[in-house]
Amino acid sequence: MKSISKICLIICSVIICACTQNDVLKVTSPNNHIEVIVDVKNESVHYAINYKDSLFIKPSKLGFELKGDRSLDKNFKVIGFQKSHSNTVWSQVWGENKDIVDNFNQLTVSLQERDGLERKMNLIFKVYDDGVGFRYEIPEQKKIDSIKISKELTEFNFSKNDTAWYTPANFDSYEMLYKKAPLSEVPSANTPITIETTDGFFASIHEANLTDYAGMTLLKSKKKDNFSFQCNLVPWPDGVKVKRKTPMLSPWRTIQITDRAKKLVESNLILNLNEPNKIEDTTWIEPMKYIGIWWGMHLGTHTWTLGERHGANTIDTKKYIDFAHNHHIQGVLVEGWNTGWEDWGKKDAFDFVTPYEDFNLKEITQYAASKNINFIGHVETGGDAQSFQEKLDTIFSMFHGLGVKTVKTGYAGGIQTKGQYHHGQFMVNHYREVVKTAAKYHIMIDAHEPIKPTGIRRTYPNMMTREGVRGMEWNAWSSGNPPEHHTILPFTRGLAGPIDYTPGTFDILFKNAKNRVKWNDLDDGTSRVNTTLAKQLALFVVLYCPLQMASDVIENYENQPAFKFIEDLGVDWETSKVLNGKIGDYITVVRKDKYSDDWFLGSITDENKRNVQVTLSFLDKNKKYRAEIYADGSNADWKTNPQEINIFQEEVSFKTTLELKLAAGGGQAIRFVSI
Ligand code: NOJ
Ligand code: CA
């Protein structure tokens, strides 16, 4: 059994105190740089956060408005508090790092209303060296049985008008480009929202362990100064945000704080605030690389629907399986394999199990197995989540019976259940039900149009990856993703968890895509990929994803020396480090393969060309390495000459300093092999 193991456990201190006097409580991070102050003096509860000598979050309100009941937000007294410290190390089934340090100080504050109802509420704060998590607990009590939260009153009152990278709050989508603006000009935001402060440190607001609750967005507070925000939960159709029974634990509200931007990317706060792995036997869970019958449909050369240009046919799928087999790729995804695509948008359009007549599912899954290739199933619901949920066991048992271990899910379009949003409690619970049922059938999940990641992969490590990002597909049928996009993602969306961006488009200008047919309204005919070829390779390292898809059609990979990098690339990591980075400008990431001595480097820049120096001190001091370098050609430029790539080798050691020459919109990918 390969399960999460506790390597060491040190509980240094537990102080329990019952008191009514102590109405200002403080807890600091183990290194004392972060201080959280909880203030119950004025009969309502506020928290504030200091980082080193700076006030980062001014006193910010906590509590709830409840439907059909008095608000749970004032008239409180502290009836007890508890402080503790814990320092443990746990191991991931898969991930950016094998071992994770979980080192924090905790403060639990027990509150009770002074009069009338005398209802109880606890606040739990965990303070780490890389940030703060806090959550509400409403214990089981006679006065509150079921609760209907009409508003979570949590505030984030930033002390200064710092700079934010954000996407505007949206209850259905995370597929927007990030904007950079002073907090005063941010009207609302999805999380994560990332902030660079004038005091020189960095922070990001998000949530961890989003379970049986509505997703959180942030909304500018109208009453306060211009950089104070309130939690704005995604509602049910009747306007209520969360429907629960007591005892109730909310998700963690997270505030990652680090002195350098790169350390935000390295932070494990979100994972640390989730529960340990609940899947006992994890031997069937395997990160991998895959290709698929997919890009052709987005380009408009193929269709999901049956017809002359139908992508998912038995003959072509076998070609993909053969290509994967010959090129060290472990999986093949096929979309448009099942009936129903003609009825897009209608209720019960898909039964999710009937293949089109030109697609022999049984023959294909057997062929894939004979070549040791994972066939990746696809369930597109078109927003009809309810119908999918009713058939979960039927669908997953069918796939299990066929030896299929991975399923990509999709919820394109609005949620068909009237008044429901992708990010509300109804769908949060649906997505979880899918992951749990899939686990029963030993199936890994890659969810598109998902709820944002909040670290659930720790508890259910079959929840491999998800979209929830403006990914590669946008390049096929819109003005696409500008070069800067990828230099923002690691510091924003990437902090939440793996990204199914699907890099690896080699035919950058779609020169080989003849006879394209426009299939959606966003396609203005100008589409292309806005990077160099070397940057496409670097993205495989920069954007972490345990199921890493190479997006292009296989014809564009044949006889391409650059594809060797994807063939050689590891899928699971012993350790990951961010060597340098500036949000929106550039980033360099290195990862050590879990199963060999290989290291991989990815470095990318925005629309500006730049030289980045990296010292290879991360390499083993006792080894020499061959650096297999995939660099932008000397005249490469994302706009005018995206395809030029320079592939060469060099002998290096931990003492070597490399100068990475990144073209405008370019990047560099390197494999270090010990020799
Ligand atoms: C949107 C998904 O992001 C994409 O990957 C998929 O191909 C289409 N929906 C169709 O399911
Ligand atoms: Ca920039």
Side-chain angles (χ1 to χ4, degrees):
M1 192 188 86
K2 202 165 56 159
S3 74
I4 289 169
S5 63
K6 290 222 154 159
I7 297 172
C8 67
L9 172 69
I10 316 160
I11 301 283
C12 292
S13 57
V14 178
I15 307 164
I16 302 175
C17 187
C19 61
T20 48
Q21 307 289 315
N22 217 339
D23 289 346
V24 178
L25 294 160
K26 292 183 182 174
V27 54
T28 59
S29 55
N31 67 4
N32 283 317
H33 290 169
I34 302 174
E35 181 186 46
V36 177
I37 302 149
V38 187
D39 181 342
V40 198
K41 270 195 303 223
N42 299 319
E43 298 192 346
S44 60
V45 204
H46 290 81
Y47 76 99
I49 298 180
N50 291 320
Y51 180 68
K52 295 186 179 166
D53 295 328
S54 311
L55 173 66
F56 176 52
I57 297 204
K58 292 189 295 191
S60 297
K61 193 175 163 105
L62 297 169
F64 297 102
E65 279 177 14
L66 304 176
K67 188 173 177 196
D69 210 339
R70 206 172 76 187
S71 296
L72 198 53
D73 69 331
K74 51 180 145 334
N75 208 15
F76 281 125
K77 64 181 175 196
V78 177
I79 56 167
F81 69 89
Q82 192 176 334
K83 280 187 169 182
S84 61
H85 171 69
S86 170
N87 189 357
T88 61
V89 178
W90 58 278
S91 300
Q92 298 206 83
V93 176
W94 50 263
E96 303 94 315
N97 299 288
K98 192 165 142 282
D99 297 327
I100 296 199
V101 176
D102 188 4
N103 180 18
F104 62 89
N105 289 329
Q106 179 166 332
L107 167 68
T108 304
V109 186
S110 303
L111 304 169
Q112 186 170 358
E113 290 173 321
R114 284 178 192 274
D115 54 15
L117 296 174
E118 297 197 331
R119 294 171 303 179
K120 289 183 178 153
M121 181 172 87
N122 302 327
L123 299 169
I124 305 158
F125 293 85
K126 283 191 181 185
V127 189
Y128 295 76
D129 289 346
D130 56 353
V132 177
F134 67 85
R135 76 189 324 184
Y136 300 89
E137 181 181 29
I138 303 183
E140 202 170 352
Q141 51 197 299
K142 283 208 190 89
K143 301 280 166 43
I144 323 179
D145 173 21
S146 58
I147 30 179
K148 287 186 174 176
I149 298 173
S150 49
K151 190 169 184 186
E152 183 186 315
L153 296 168
T154 308
E155 292 175 342
F156 299 90
N157 296 335
F158 300 104
S159 66
K160 296 201 180 93
N161 193 12
D162 288 325
T163 304
W165 280 263
Y166 75 103
T167 58
N170 189 300
F171 295 169
D172 275 311
S173 174
Y174 304 113
E175 299 188 27
M176 282 85 72
L177 291 174
Y178 278 84
K179 299 181 188 203
K180 179 183 180 185
L183 283 164
S184 59
E185 287 168 26
V186 177
S188 70
N190 288 322
T191 71
I193 168 175
T194 295
I195 295 159
E196 178 171 357
T197 70
T198 43
D199 291 329
F201 62 91
F202 296 81
S204 183
I205 312 293
H206 187 45
E207 55 183 316
N209 193 355
L210 171 52
T211 299
D212 198 7
Y213 206 87
M216 174 176 78
T217 69
L218 302 187
L219 186 63
K220 176 70 60 63
S221 304
K222 291 204 184 80
K223 286 178 262 163
K224 307 233 161 123
D225 56 41
N226 237 349
F227 24 98
S228 294
F229 290 81
Q230 279 187 342
C231 165
N232 188 25
L233 299 174
V234 179
W236 285 81
D238 61 4
V240 172
K241 307 291 171 50
V242 177
K243 304 178 181 182
R244 288 280 289 271
K245 294 232 172 286
T246 55
M248 184 206 89
L249 272 174
S250 76
W252 295 93
R253 276 59 188 99
T254 61
I255 301 119
Q256 283 160 288
I257 311 175
T258 58
D259 57 355
R260 298 178 67 185
K262 73 182 195 102
K263 289 201 198 154
L264 275 185
V265 185
E266 291 173 335
S267 162
N268 291 310
L269 183 91
I270 305 294
L271 283 172
N272 274 331
L273 289 169
N274 274 270
E275 289 166 34
N277 174 21
K278 288 192 174 159
I279 299 177
E280 259 187 42
D281 171 16
T282 58
T283 49
W284 51 276
I285 301 176
E286 287 174 326
M288 64 174 142
K289 292 171 285 190
Y290 69 99
I291 52 172
I293 296 193
W294 178 78
W295 188 231
M297 281 86 92
H298 286 274
L299 284 177
T301 56
H302 293 77
T303 58
W304 284 277
T305 48
L306 194 62
E308 268 181 17
R309 297 184 299 119
H310 187 211
N313 59 71
T314 305
I315 297 169
D316 285 350
T317 307
K318 285 189 172 174
K319 285 188 195 153
Y320 272 73
I321 292 169
D322 289 341
F323 182 92
H325 176 78
N326 295 332
H327 292 273
H328 204 244
I329 300 291
Q330 296 88 1
V332 171
L333 161 77
V334 183
E335 293 197 1
W337 68 272
N338 61 318
T339 58
W341 288 83
E342 295 77 6
D343 295 323
W344 182 265
K346 291 190 196 144
K347 178 98 189 75
D348 296 322
F350 298 100
D351 71 4
F352 309 111
V353 292
T354 308
Y356 277 124
E357 62 200 42
D358 59 348
F359 189 84
N360 191 329
L361 179 61
K362 201 155 175 222
E363 186 184 326
I364 284 164
T365 47
Q366 280 171 355
Y367 188 73
S370 77
K371 299 266 174 173
N372 208 14
I373 294 298
N374 292 280
F375 175 84
I376 300 179
H378 186 230
V379 172
E380 172 56 67
T381 65
D384 192 356
Q386 223 162 359
S387 164
F388 178 29
Q389 189 152 336
E390 282 157 19
K391 300 184 182 78
L392 276 180
D393 280 289
T394 312
I395 299 163
F396 288 145
S397 71
M398 174 196 75
F399 278 130
H400 183 66
L402 291 164
V404 173
K405 295 201 312 190
T406 313
V407 172
K408 173 178 170 181
T409 58
Y411 303 84
I415 297 302
Q416 292 194 17
T417 310
K418 204 161 176 274
Q420 296 290 3
Y421 297 105
H422 281 75
H423 307 156
Q425 188 184 8
F426 171 85
M427 282 301 290
V428 166
N429 290 349
H430 165 80
Y431 292 117
R432 185 65 52 81
E433 197 53 34
V434 172
V435 172
K436 283 167 132 176
T437 313
K440 266 193 344 201
Y441 294 98
H442 287 190
I443 285 173
M444 297 174 263
I445 295 294
D446 167 7
H448 277 228
E449 298 79 36
I451 184 67
K452 60 193 166 183
T454 58
I456 298 306
R457 63 177 162 139
R458 176 175 178 188
T459 315
Y460 297 100
N462 66 319
M463 179 61 240
M464 306 299 286
T465 185
R466 67 189 88 204
E467 192 187 38
V469 70
R470 188 171 160 115
M472 175 63 77
E473 63 186 28
W474 285 81
N475 292 313
W477 35 253
S478 78
S479 51
N481 304 334
E484 188 187 47
H485 184 51
H486 317 97
T487 63
I488 301 173
L489 286 181
F491 302 97
T492 50
R493 163 63 179 80
L495 303 184
I499 309 180
D500 195 26
Y501 184 87
T502 70
T505 297
F506 277 24
D507 182 18
I508 298 227
L509 302 174
F510 310 156
K511 284 195 175 142
N512 303 333
K514 309 277 183 260
N515 308 323
R516 296 180 62 197
V517 175
K518 177 177 158 148
W519 64 275
N520 81 12
D521 294 339
L522 292 165
D523 188 348
D524 61 3
T526 64
S527 51
R528 54 159 291 176
V529 173
N530 301 320
T531 72
T532 64
L533 176 55
K535 181 168 173 180
Q536 285 298 309
L537 298 181
L539 288 176
F540 280 96
V541 182
V542 171
L543 301 177
Y544 173 64
C545 187
L547 299 178
Q548 194 61 285
M549 183 188 198
S551 50
D552 215 334
V553 298
I554 51 175
E555 291 76 10
N556 292 331
Y557 291 146
E558 295 283 6
N559 305 317
Q560 283 288 345
F563 194 74
K564 176 87 169 43
F565 181 78
I566 301 175
E567 287 187 26
D568 294 336
L569 182 71
V571 291
D572 197 12
W573 309 108
E574 176 83 28
T575 179
S576 296
K577 294 176 200 289
V578 183
L579 299 187
N580 52 47
K582 189 162 186 301
I583 309 175
D585 287 355
Y586 65 95
I587 183 168
T588 308
V589 178
V590 288
R591 304 193 194 275
K592 155 88 178 48
D593 186 19
K594 205 162 164 184
Y595 302 105
S596 74
D597 290 335
D598 288 5
W599 280 84
F600 294 86
L601 175 149
S603 185
I604 58 168
T605 179
D606 59 2
E607 68 284 358
N608 300 305
K609 71 173 181 184
R610 68 184 85 230
N611 292 356
V612 176
Q613 287 212 337
V614 291
T615 304
L616 307 182
S617 52
F618 53 87
L619 294 175
D620 190 324
K621 300 196 169 30
N622 303 312
K623 291 191 164 80
K624 282 219 147 51
Y625 292 83
R626 181 177 69 246
E628 300 173 356
I629 300 174
Y630 300 75
D632 287 320
S634 48
N635 294 314
D637 178 298
W638 74 275
K639 221 177 205 166
T640 55
N641 188 22
Q643 221 73 41
E644 193 187 326
I645 191 162
N646 187 10
I647 305 174
F648 59 100
Q649 300 189 347
E650 239 174 77
E651 201 179 300
V652 297
S653 76
F654 76 101
K655 286 190 183 147
T656 310
T657 296
L658 290 179
E659 170 136 310
L660 316 179
K661 292 189 176 129
L662 313 179
Q668 190 165 133
I670 307 179
R671 175 192 184 206
F672 299 97
V673 192
S674 85
I675 46 178

